[in-house]
């Protein structure tokens, strides 16, 4: 059994119920994969000389598996590109042309950059396949990533955009007919509901089938245009509704009523030059919130949760505690399969997984305060030091 203590640390985290706490000048004990004590010392001692220790980041929304860069579309109107068969369709074409090994290697390398930037758990979506066989190939790649990455990986089957040709309803029939076969291989089903993507009625069709198979739901909701997808997410007891730039009052109300997590994606707004989701209104309405990168080649080529927190606080007006909470506790909330599930990670508490980030600063406030690409001193995943800056 491995036992060690991090001493001389300033701990900052949310508790299970979402309350922020900070304990200065304290210590924690790590036994194998688990935090076994707080304010105690046992085993080997690692003196962190007053550094801040926070939970590892939980990135609950990423599109990590793809090929091809879209820098040539930089600042071009997103919807126009998509409707003309570019945008997501360009990435789908490049991904189809790429070898499986290379897709795996590229996604692995991206996840390892995320790890060095503090992400100890991540969700990965399919969605750049569209064709059934290609979607299944993406799923296999994500399963392989789950096997080989140090992080915990959650798998989302994303129904991203309709095929350029053919009957949309037939396509949805076909893709959802995979659910009984793949339900044990995926954690969530997601659909992009928006102008240029799917409609509310199509989302309902997908959710009914997902529900029938007991697969938890996520939704790309109210991003480019208001569609009412947030209300439908609540109607189907979704785990999270993501984006929410255009959400309306009634959408916020329904998320609250059904305890759906609002997932904020500030890097996407920033990159696309759009407004942020109404963070303050959503949080103040009592809705749980997560912050994620939405990493993808079209709207958020970002691999850093610290950058997401930094934006959410400095532009989006969140308090640093709220930024930290969304990126850790909130992310973990957005990855629960059912709403009674206790958290295993995302918070610092006895018996939780020892997934930790050590900052090269004495306070968690530096997450929003500093623009320092070397702010992370070390990353611990399931009790193992997986990254340490010399
Ligand atoms: O979450 N909005 C839909 N899907 C992605 C964008 C994917 C892409 O442009 O390649 C998103 O922003
Ligand atoms: Fe997305």
């Amino acid at each position: 059994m491995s036992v060690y203590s991090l001493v001389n640390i300033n701990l900052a985290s949310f508790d299970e119920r979402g309350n922020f706490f900070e304990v200065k000048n304290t210590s924690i004990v790590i036994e194998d994969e688990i935090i076994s004590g707080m304010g105690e010392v046992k085993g080997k001692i690692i003196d962190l000389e007053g550094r801040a220790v926070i939970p590892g980041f939980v990135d609950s929304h990423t599109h990590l598996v793809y090929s091809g860069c879209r820098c040539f579309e930089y600042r071009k109107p997103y919807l126009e590109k998509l409707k003309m068969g570019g945008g997501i369709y360009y990435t789908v074409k490049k991904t189809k042309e790429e070898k499986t090994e290379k897709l795996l290697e590229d996604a692995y390398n991206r996840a390892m950059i995320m790890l060095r930037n503090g992400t100890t758990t991540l969700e990965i979506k399919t969605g750049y396949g569209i064709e059934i066989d290609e979607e299944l190939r993406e799923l296999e790649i994500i399963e392989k990533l789950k096997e080989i990455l140090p992080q915990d990986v959650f798998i989302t089957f994303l129904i991203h955009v309709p095929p350029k040709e053919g009957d949309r309803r037939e396509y949805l029939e076909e893709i959802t007919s995979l659910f009984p076969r793949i339900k044990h291989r995926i954690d969530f089903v997601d659909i992009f509901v928006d102008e240029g993507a799917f409609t509310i009625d199509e989302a309902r069709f997908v959710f009914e089938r997902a529900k029938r198979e007991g697969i938890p739901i996520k939704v790309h909701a109210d991003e480019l245009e208001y569609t009412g997808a947030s209300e439908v997410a609540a109607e189907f007891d979704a785990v999270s509704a993501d984006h929410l730039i255009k959400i309306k009052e009634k959408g916020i109300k329904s998320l609250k009523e059904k305890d759906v997590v609002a997932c904020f994606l500030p890097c996407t707004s920033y990159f696309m030059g759009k407004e942020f989701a109404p963070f303050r209104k959503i949080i103040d309405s009592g809705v749980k919130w997560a912050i994620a990168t939405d990493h993808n080649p079209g709207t958020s080529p970002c691999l850093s949760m610290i950058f997401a927190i930094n934006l959410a606080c400095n532009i989006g007006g969140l308090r640093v505690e709220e930024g930290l909470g969304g990126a850790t506790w909130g992310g973990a909330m957005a990855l629960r399969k059912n709403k009674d599930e206790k958290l295993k990670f995302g918070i610092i508490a006895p018996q939780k997984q020892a997934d930790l980030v050590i900052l090269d600063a004495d306070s968690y406030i530096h997450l929003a305060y500093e623009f320092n690409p070397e702010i992370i001193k070390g990353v611990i995943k399931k009790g193992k030091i997986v990254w340490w800056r010399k």
Side-chain angles (χ1 to χ4, degrees):
M1 183 187 253
S2 132
V3 185
Y4 67 96
S5 300
L6 303 178
V7 306
N8 206 354
I9 59 177
N10 294 332
L11 267 190
S13 174
F14 271 37
D15 66 18
E16 191 120 18
R17 285 195 302 273
N19 300 307
F20 174 75
F21 67 87
E22 186 184 23
V23 190
K24 292 199 170 156
N25 199 9
T26 188
S27 57
I28 51 174
V29 183
I30 296 163
E31 295 195 27
D32 291 334
E33 297 186 357
I34 300 292
I35 297 165
S36 65
M38 293 172 67
E40 301 164 28
V41 179
K42 231 169 134 182
K44 191 179 143 199
I45 288 174
I46 301 178
D47 185 348
L48 290 178
E49 299 167 343
R51 290 189 173 89
V53 174
I54 57 176
F57 299 126
V58 180
D59 193 345
S60 64
H61 183 138
T62 86
H63 307 252
L64 215 63
V65 181
Y66 62 85
S67 177
C69 124
R70 305 229 295 268
C71 69
F72 63 91
E73 286 184 356
Y74 181 64
R75 286 283 149 81
K76 303 251 165 68
Y78 185 77
L79 260 177
E80 228 167 83
K81 280 270 150 197
L82 186 64
K83 284 179 180 164
M84 281 163 54
I88 295 173
Y89 293 108
Y90 175 82
T91 303
V92 168
K93 178 173 171 286
K94 296 306 271 185
T95 304
K96 186 174 178 179
E97 286 165 4
E98 191 52 271
K99 288 199 178 74
T100 302
E101 298 67 37
K102 178 76 167 95
L103 289 171
L104 178 66
E105 187 189 326
D106 287 352
Y108 178 84
N109 289 337
R110 291 178 194 121
M112 291 305 282
I113 295 174
M114 287 174 156
L115 184 75
R116 296 192 288 275
N117 281 278
T119 300
T120 50
T121 298
L122 74 155
E123 178 259 23
I124 308 178
K125 299 176 195 293
T126 67
Y128 288 120
I130 304 191
E131 290 166 24
I132 305 286
D133 287 350
E134 282 297 305
E135 284 297 328
L136 290 173
R137 187 164 77 112
E138 284 218 339
L139 176 55
E140 274 168 33
I141 293 169
I142 303 173
E143 288 177 315
K144 186 71 192 164
L145 288 168
K146 187 175 170 134
E147 241 176 81
I148 62 178
L149 280 170
Q151 289 108 323
D152 283 301
V153 171
F154 287 75
I155 305 179
T156 298
F157 190 78
L158 169 64
I159 303 179
H160 208 169
V161 282
K164 278 196 264 183
E165 274 141 33
D167 185 88
R168 294 164 71 113
R169 188 47 80 112
E170 264 170 37
Y171 172 70
L172 287 177
E173 286 277 2
E174 200 186 350
I175 196 116
T176 55
S177 72
L178 289 176
F179 289 176
R181 254 170 65 203
I182 62 168
K183 66 179 170 191
H184 299 298
R185 298 169 58 192
I186 62 177
D187 297 295
F188 305 100
V189 155
D190 189 348
I191 180 166
F192 180 22
V193 182
D194 222 308
E195 171 135 20
F198 290 101
T199 65
I200 282 292
D201 286 341
E202 289 168 332
R204 279 209 170 86
F205 176 87
V206 168
F207 294 158
E208 270 157 21
R209 276 155 186 75
K211 278 240 139 173
R212 206 182 290 160
E213 299 303 326
I215 312 169
I217 291 163
K218 288 178 168 286
V219 195
H220 277 69
D222 298 327
E223 179 190 359
L224 307 168
E225 298 296 336
Y226 169 76
T227 60
S230 304
E231 289 87 317
V232 177
E235 195 183 311
F236 283 86
D237 285 304
V239 176
S240 72
D242 303 34
H243 283 291
L244 311 179
I245 294 174
K246 305 282 188 185
I247 193 171
K248 295 199 168 153
E249 204 76 52
K250 53 187 175 184
I252 299 176
K253 241 178 110 198
S254 47
L255 297 188
K256 165 72 184 139
E257 270 164 25
K258 291 296 197 72
D259 198 18
V260 180
V261 177
C263 182
F264 301 151
L265 305 167
C267 305
T268 313
S269 293
Y270 171 75
F271 184 81
M272 294 177 85
K274 283 188 179 292
E275 67 273 29
F276 284 48
F279 296 163
R280 185 81 277 138
K281 224 185 214 170
I282 293 174
I283 294 178
D284 290 350
S285 304
V287 176
K288 295 190 178 85
W289 74 100
I291 294 174
T293 61
D294 190 21
H295 176 87
N296 76 75
T299 66
S300 180
C302 171
L303 294 164
S304 160
M305 285 292 278
I306 292 196
F307 186 63
I309 297 171
N310 205 295
L311 288 181
C313 296
N314 289 321
I315 305 183
L318 294 198
R319 293 193 287 274
V320 189
E321 298 78 37
E322 292 168 331
L324 169 66
T328 55
W329 165 84
M333 285 287 169
L335 294 176
R336 288 177 313 164
K337 301 284 190 54
N338 69 66
K339 289 167 189 170
D340 310 314
E341 200 176 292
K342 287 250 176 251
L343 296 184
K344 284 202 206 81
F345 51 79
I347 58 173
I348 298 177
Q351 299 315 313
K352 303 297 175 191
Q353 228 164 257
D355 294 356
L356 303 164
V357 167
I358 299 148
L359 298 182
D360 211 0
D362 62 359
S363 164
Y364 68 93
I365 296 170
H366 283 249
L367 289 169
Y369 166 72
E370 263 197 62
F371 306 139
N372 175 359
E374 301 197 348
I375 186 84
I376 293 183
K377 179 69 185 170
V379 180
I380 296 176
K381 176 65 191 173
K382 287 188 179 164
K384 282 207 180 73
I385 299 174
V386 286
W387 161 249
W388 197 260
R389 192 177 297 282
K390 294 279 177 342

PDB file of all heavy atoms in Angstrom, residues 279-294:
ATOM      1  N   PHE A 279     -24.635  33.409 -17.291  1.00  0.00           N
ATOM      2  CA  PHE A 279     -24.084  32.657 -16.138  1.00  0.00           C
ATOM      3  C   PHE A 279     -24.749  33.049 -14.820  1.00  0.00           C
ATOM      4  O   PHE A 279     -25.188  32.223 -14.046  1.00  0.00           O
ATOM      5  CB  PHE A 279     -22.577  32.931 -15.976  1.00  0.00           C
ATOM      6  CG  PHE A 279     -21.700  32.475 -17.101  1.00  0.00           C
ATOM      7  CD1 PHE A 279     -20.415  32.978 -17.222  1.00  0.00           C
ATOM      8  CD2 PHE A 279     -22.131  31.531 -18.022  1.00  0.00           C
ATOM      9  CE1 PHE A 279     -19.574  32.571 -18.240  1.00  0.00           C
ATOM     10  CE2 PHE A 279     -21.295  31.110 -19.051  1.00  0.00           C
ATOM     11  CZ  PHE A 279     -20.011  31.641 -19.160  1.00  0.00           C
ATOM     12  N   ARG A 280     -24.736  34.380 -14.586  1.00  0.00           N
ATOM     13  CA  ARG A 280     -25.198  34.876 -13.283  1.00  0.00           C
ATOM     14  C   ARG A 280     -26.655  34.497 -13.027  1.00  0.00           C
ATOM     15  O   ARG A 280     -27.011  33.989 -11.983  1.00  0.00           O
ATOM     16  CB  ARG A 280     -25.015  36.403 -13.282  1.00  0.00           C
ATOM     17  CG  ARG A 280     -25.311  37.123 -12.030  1.00  0.00           C
ATOM     18  CD  ARG A 280     -24.161  37.087 -10.997  1.00  0.00           C
ATOM     19  NE  ARG A 280     -24.158  35.878 -10.220  1.00  0.00           N
ATOM     20  CZ  ARG A 280     -23.074  35.197  -9.896  1.00  0.00           C
ATOM     21  NH1 ARG A 280     -21.875  35.570 -10.270  1.00  0.00           N
ATOM     22  NH2 ARG A 280     -23.152  34.126  -9.173  1.00  0.00           N
ATOM     23  N   LYS A 281     -27.474  34.717 -14.050  1.00  0.00           N
ATOM     24  CA  LYS A 281     -28.904  34.443 -13.925  1.00  0.00           C
ATOM     25  C   LYS A 281     -29.124  32.959 -13.644  1.00  0.00           C
ATOM     26  O   LYS A 281     -29.950  32.586 -12.803  1.00  0.00           O
ATOM     27  CB  LYS A 281     -29.578  34.796 -15.244  1.00  0.00           C
ATOM     28  CG  LYS A 281     -30.857  35.548 -15.083  1.00  0.00           C
ATOM     29  CD  LYS A 281     -31.500  35.734 -16.418  1.00  0.00           C
ATOM     30  CE  LYS A 281     -32.222  37.054 -16.446  1.00  0.00           C
ATOM     31  NZ  LYS A 281     -32.663  37.389 -17.773  1.00  0.00           N
ATOM     32  N   ILE A 282     -28.384  32.128 -14.352  1.00  0.00           N
ATOM     33  CA  ILE A 282     -28.563  30.679 -14.211  1.00  0.00           C
ATOM     34  C   ILE A 282     -28.138  30.237 -12.800  1.00  0.00           C
ATOM     35  O   ILE A 282     -28.877  29.541 -12.106  1.00  0.00           O
ATOM     36  CB  ILE A 282     -27.781  29.918 -15.307  1.00  0.00           C
ATOM     37  CG1 ILE A 282     -28.397  30.213 -16.692  1.00  0.00           C
ATOM     38  CG2 ILE A 282     -27.757  28.422 -15.032  1.00  0.00           C
ATOM     39  CD1 ILE A 282     -27.652  29.654 -17.884  1.00  0.00           C
ATOM     40  N   ILE A 283     -26.975  30.677 -12.376  1.00  0.00           N
ATOM     41  CA  ILE A 283     -26.491  30.276 -11.042  1.00  0.00           C
ATOM     42  C   ILE A 283     -27.414  30.820  -9.951  1.00  0.00           C
ATOM     43  O   ILE A 283     -27.799  30.103  -9.026  1.00  0.00           O
ATOM     44  CB  ILE A 283     -25.029  30.759 -10.810  1.00  0.00           C
ATOM     45  CG1 ILE A 283     -24.087  30.035 -11.780  1.00  0.00           C
ATOM     46  CG2 ILE A 283     -24.598  30.543  -9.361  1.00  0.00           C
ATOM     47  CD1 ILE A 283     -22.630  30.462 -11.679  1.00  0.00           C
ATOM     48  N   ASP A 284     -27.788  32.085 -10.087  1.00  0.00           N
ATOM     49  CA  ASP A 284     -28.639  32.692  -9.059  1.00  0.00           C
ATOM     50  C   ASP A 284     -30.046  32.100  -9.035  1.00  0.00           C
ATOM     51  O   ASP A 284     -30.777  32.273  -8.061  1.00  0.00           O
ATOM     52  CB  ASP A 284     -28.694  34.212  -9.220  1.00  0.00           C
ATOM     53  CG  ASP A 284     -27.361  34.857  -8.855  1.00  0.00           C
ATOM     54  OD1 ASP A 284     -26.491  34.136  -8.311  1.00  0.00           O
ATOM     55  OD2 ASP A 284     -27.173  36.056  -9.126  1.00  0.00           O
ATOM     56  N   SER A 285     -30.428  31.395 -10.106  1.00  0.00           N
ATOM     57  CA  SER A 285     -31.737  30.720 -10.091  1.00  0.00           C
ATOM     58  C   SER A 285     -31.668  29.376  -9.383  1.00  0.00           C
ATOM     59  O   SER A 285     -32.661  28.645  -9.334  1.00  0.00           O
ATOM     60  CB  SER A 285     -32.230  30.488 -11.517  1.00  0.00           C
ATOM     61  OG  SER A 285     -32.270  31.686 -12.209  1.00  0.00           O
ATOM     62  N   GLY A 286     -30.470  29.027  -8.924  1.00  0.00           N
ATOM     63  CA  GLY A 286     -30.342  27.779  -8.164  1.00  0.00           C
ATOM     64  C   GLY A 286     -30.055  26.560  -9.038  1.00  0.00           C
ATOM     65  O   GLY A 286     -30.164  25.420  -8.592  1.00  0.00           O
ATOM     66  N   VAL A 287     -29.676  26.806 -10.289  1.00  0.00           N
ATOM     67  CA  VAL A 287     -29.310  25.696 -11.188  1.00  0.00           C
ATOM     68  C   VAL A 287     -27.846  25.329 -10.928  1.00  0.00           C
ATOM     69  O   VAL A 287     -27.012  26.209 -10.728  1.00  0.00           O
ATOM     70  CB  VAL A 287     -29.487  26.139 -12.668  1.00  0.00           C
ATOM     71  CG1 VAL A 287     -29.025  25.059 -13.633  1.00  0.00           C
ATOM     72  CG2 VAL A 287     -30.934  26.537 -12.938  1.00  0.00           C
ATOM     73  N   LYS A 288     -27.548  24.023 -10.930  1.00  0.00           N
ATOM     74  CA  LYS A 288     -26.146  23.602 -10.804  1.00  0.00           C
ATOM     75  C   LYS A 288     -25.433  23.908 -12.122  1.00  0.00           C
ATOM     76  O   LYS A 288     -26.039  23.818 -13.188  1.00  0.00           O
ATOM     77  CB  LYS A 288     -26.063  22.100 -10.535  1.00  0.00           C
ATOM     78  CG  LYS A 288     -26.654  21.696  -9.208  1.00  0.00           C
ATOM     79  CD  LYS A 288     -26.315  20.229  -8.914  1.00  0.00           C
ATOM     80  CE  LYS A 288     -26.853  19.834  -7.559  1.00  0.00           C
ATOM     81  NZ  LYS A 288     -28.272  19.420  -7.632  1.00  0.00           N
ATOM     82  N   TRP A 289     -24.156  24.255 -12.048  1.00  0.00           N
ATOM     83  CA  TRP A 289     -23.431  24.627 -13.261  1.00  0.00           C
ATOM     84  C   TRP A 289     -22.087  23.897 -13.356  1.00  0.00           C
ATOM     85  O   TRP A 289     -21.461  23.590 -12.348  1.00  0.00           O
ATOM     86  CB  TRP A 289     -23.207  26.137 -13.303  1.00  0.00           C
ATOM     87  CG  TRP A 289     -22.157  26.602 -12.343  1.00  0.00           C
ATOM     88  CD1 TRP A 289     -20.861  26.907 -12.608  1.00  0.00           C
ATOM     89  CD2 TRP A 289     -22.315  26.775 -10.911  1.00  0.00           C
ATOM     90  NE1 TRP A 289     -20.196  27.269 -11.456  1.00  0.00           N
ATOM     91  CE2 TRP A 289     -21.062  27.188 -10.397  1.00  0.00           C
ATOM     92  CE3 TRP A 289     -23.381  26.609 -10.022  1.00  0.00           C
ATOM     93  CZ2 TRP A 289     -20.852  27.442  -9.049  1.00  0.00           C
ATOM     94  CZ3 TRP A 289     -23.161  26.857  -8.668  1.00  0.00           C
ATOM     95  CH2 TRP A 289     -21.922  27.274  -8.195  1.00  0.00           C
ATOM     96  N   ALA A 290     -21.703  23.623 -14.594  1.00  0.00           N
ATOM     97  CA  ALA A 290     -20.378  23.071 -14.880  1.00  0.00           C
ATOM     98  C   ALA A 290     -19.690  24.011 -15.852  1.00  0.00           C
ATOM     99  O   ALA A 290     -20.356  24.789 -16.536  1.00  0.00           O
ATOM    100  CB  ALA A 290     -20.523  21.685 -15.491  1.00  0.00           C
ATOM    101  N   ILE A 291     -18.371  23.937 -15.898  1.00  0.00           N
ATOM    102  CA  ILE A 291     -17.610  24.670 -16.925  1.00  0.00           C
ATOM    103  C   ILE A 291     -16.764  23.638 -17.658  1.00  0.00           C
ATOM    104  O   ILE A 291     -16.122  22.795 -17.014  1.00  0.00           O
ATOM    105  CB  ILE A 291     -16.693  25.734 -16.280  1.00  0.00           C
ATOM    106  CG1 ILE A 291     -17.540  26.820 -15.614  1.00  0.00           C
ATOM    107  CG2 ILE A 291     -15.749  26.347 -17.313  1.00  0.00           C
ATOM    108  CD1 ILE A 291     -16.726  27.842 -14.833  1.00  0.00           C
ATOM    109  N   ALA A 292     -16.781  23.675 -18.999  1.00  0.00           N
ATOM    110  CA  ALA A 292     -15.981  22.714 -19.767  1.00  0.00           C
ATOM    111  C   ALA A 292     -15.335  23.426 -20.944  1.00  0.00           C
ATOM    112  O   ALA A 292     -15.660  24.587 -21.242  1.00  0.00           O
ATOM    113  CB  ALA A 292     -16.883  21.571 -20.243  1.00  0.00           C
ATOM    114  N   THR A 293     -14.410  22.735 -21.625  1.00  0.00           N
ATOM    115  CA  THR A 293     -13.701  23.399 -22.741  1.00  0.00           C
ATOM    116  C   THR A 293     -14.472  23.331 -24.051  1.00  0.00           C
ATOM    117  O   THR A 293     -14.281  24.180 -24.915  1.00  0.00           O
ATOM    118  CB  THR A 293     -12.322  22.753 -23.009  1.00  0.00           C
ATOM    119  OG1 THR A 293     -12.517  21.380 -23.366  1.00  0.00           O
ATOM    120  CG2 THR A 293     -11.384  22.890 -21.828  1.00  0.00           C
ATOM    121  N   ASP A 294     -15.296  22.283 -24.248  1.00  0.00           N
ATOM    122  CA  ASP A 294     -15.927  22.043 -25.559  1.00  0.00           C
ATOM    123  C   ASP A 294     -14.855  21.844 -26.626  1.00  0.00           C
ATOM    124  O   ASP A 294     -15.060  22.211 -27.793  1.00  0.00           O
ATOM    125  CB  ASP A 294     -16.855  23.217 -25.945  1.00  0.00           C
ATOM    126  CG  ASP A 294     -17.711  22.914 -27.169  1.00  0.00           C
ATOM    127  OD1 ASP A 294     -17.906  21.734 -27.480  1.00  0.00           O
ATOM    128  OD2 ASP A 294     -18.179  23.868 -27.819  1.00  0.00           O
TER     129      ASP A 294
END
